[in-house]
Amino acid sequence: MNIMCGVLNQTEGEVFVNGISLRENPVEAKKFIGFLPQKPPLYADFTVDEYLVYCAQLRHMDSKSIRAAVDCAKEKCGIMHYSKRLISNLSGGYQQRVGIARALAVNPEFIVCDEPISALDVSIQSQVVNMLEDMQHEMGLTYLFIAHDLSVVRHISHRIGVMYLGTMVELAESYELNRHPLHPYTKTLLSAVPVPDPQVSRSRQRIVLEGDIPSPMNPPSGCRFHTRCPYATEKCKQVVPTFKEYEKGHWVACHLLEE
C-alpha cells in the first residue's frame, strides 16, 4: 500500500492512495480505505447486520461481495453472534468492535484509525489493540494510527511520526524514535510516558514545558515549537526548519541539529 500526503495550507491538502488522488478520484481511491474514528457514527436503531450491510452498500459493492465481506468482518471482530442485536444494546467495547467491522466490511488495504481506543476502558483498550494487531498480520493491513497515548503508539506502530500544531517534526522507526529521539518536543512527550519499573521511573527526568499552545490556525513564525521550546534561538523564531533526514530513516525538523 503506497500512501502519499501533501499539505497545501492549514485546511487543504492532497492524498494519493496507490497513485490515485483522493480528491480528484474519491470513489476509486476509497476502495482501498477503511476509517475507524474515535466514536464511530453508529446507527443505534440498526442491528449489527443492517448497519454493516448499509455501510458496505455505500461503497457500491455487489450483493454477493457485501455478504461475504460483512460475514468475514464480523468473524474477525468476534461479533458473529451479535448480528441481530441492536447496536444501542451493546457495550462500548462491542460498539467499537462494530466500528472496526465497519472499516473491514469494505475490504480495505489501508485503515485510518483516529483515536480508536481513547474512549474505552483500559482493559478494553488492550483487547482492541491486540485484535487490530492480529488482523494486521492475518490480512496484511496498513494502519495510520492517530493517538496521543505514546505507550499504545509504541506498541502497535512500526514507524512513528510526531506532529506539533499540524506540522511533522520527527519521523522514524518505532524502536529508533523511542531509543534516540532528536526533536525537543519528542523528548518532552517521551519523558511523560509512565514506566512500570519504579527504579527506572525515579531515575527519569520529566521535561515540563511552559507557556500555552498557540492556535494552529494562527501559528507562530519560524519553528512552531519555539514559543515553548527551552532551547529556542532567534533563528528558531524567524526561520522554518527544514524536514531533513539526519540518520537513515530518521527525519527531523529542528535548527539545533544543523549546528
Side-chain angles (χ1 to χ4, degrees), residues 3-218:
I3 307 293
M4 294 181 63
C5 302
V7 177
L8 301 178
N9 54 48
Q10 289 295 313
T11 57
E12 296 181 19
E14 193 77 58
V15 177
F16 293 89
V17 183
N18 284 351
I20 302 171
S21 170
L22 188 57
R23 182 171 62 172
E24 295 179 3
N25 199 342
V27 174
E28 188 64 26
K30 286 181 180 178
K31 291 180 180 178
F32 302 100
I33 303 175
F35 182 54
L36 177 59
Q38 180 178 6
K39 188 173 178 60
L42 304 174
Y43 291 70
D45 293 331
F46 278 36
T47 66
V48 171
D49 234 18
E50 290 171 341
Y51 177 68
L52 296 178
V53 169
Y54 170 73
C55 293
Q57 287 173 338
L58 295 178
R59 293 295 180 89
H60 307 289
M61 299 166 63
D62 61 78
S63 299
K64 186 176 180 180
S65 298
I66 288 175
R67 189 70 265 167
V70 166
D71 286 346
C72 179
K74 289 188 297 183
E75 183 178 357
K76 292 291 184 184
C77 295
I79 55 174
M80 184 65 78
H81 298 300
Y82 295 82
S83 299
K84 305 304 179 184
R85 294 276 296 273
L86 289 177
I87 294 175
S88 58
N89 292 338
L90 299 178
S91 66
Y94 272 92
Q95 286 187 357
Q96 190 67 331
R97 285 173 180 259
V98 175
I100 297 172
R102 168 184 178 266
L104 292 177
V106 296
N107 288 327
E109 297 178 33
F110 175 67
I111 298 180
V112 179
C113 303
D114 187 4
E115 295 279 5
I117 63 170
S118 60
L120 303 176
D121 294 338
V122 175
S123 59
I124 304 300
Q125 286 183 0
S126 61
Q127 293 177 23
V128 172
V129 169
N130 290 335
M131 184 170 61
L132 289 171
E133 284 189 307
D134 290 342
M135 291 189 300
Q136 183 183 43
H137 296 310
E138 293 172 9
M139 305 171 69
L141 296 171
T142 298
Y143 296 136
L144 173 60
F145 197 92
I146 304 167
H148 291 89
D149 189 336
L150 287 185
S151 60
V152 173
V153 171
R154 177 168 53 192
H155 178 73
I156 198 171
S157 302
H158 297 97
R159 192 165 175 78
I160 300 175
V162 178
M163 299 186 73
Y164 183 80
L165 288 184
T167 298
M168 189 78 72
V169 297
E170 187 160 4
L171 176 67
E173 297 296 324
S174 178
Y175 177 79
E176 168 64 15
L177 185 131
N178 283 277
R179 182 187 65 85
H180 188 209
L182 297 177
H183 196 280
Y185 182 57
T186 307
K187 294 178 181 179
T188 301
L189 293 177
L190 292 175
S191 77
V193 177
V195 177
D197 188 325
Q199 292 185 341
V200 174
S201 182
R202 283 194 293 267
S203 65
R204 296 174 74 217
Q205 181 179 0
R206 172 75 183 273
I207 303 173
V208 180
L209 298 178
E210 298 181 356
D212 297 326
I213 301 176
S215 168
M217 300 305 295
N218 186 28

Side-chain angles (χ1 to χ4, degrees), residues 236-248:
C236 300
K237 299 176 183 179
Q238 300 172 10
V239 182
V240 177
T242 303
F243 195 57
K244 296 194 298 187
E245 188 177 24
Y246 286 90
E247 299 176 7
K248 186 176 180 180

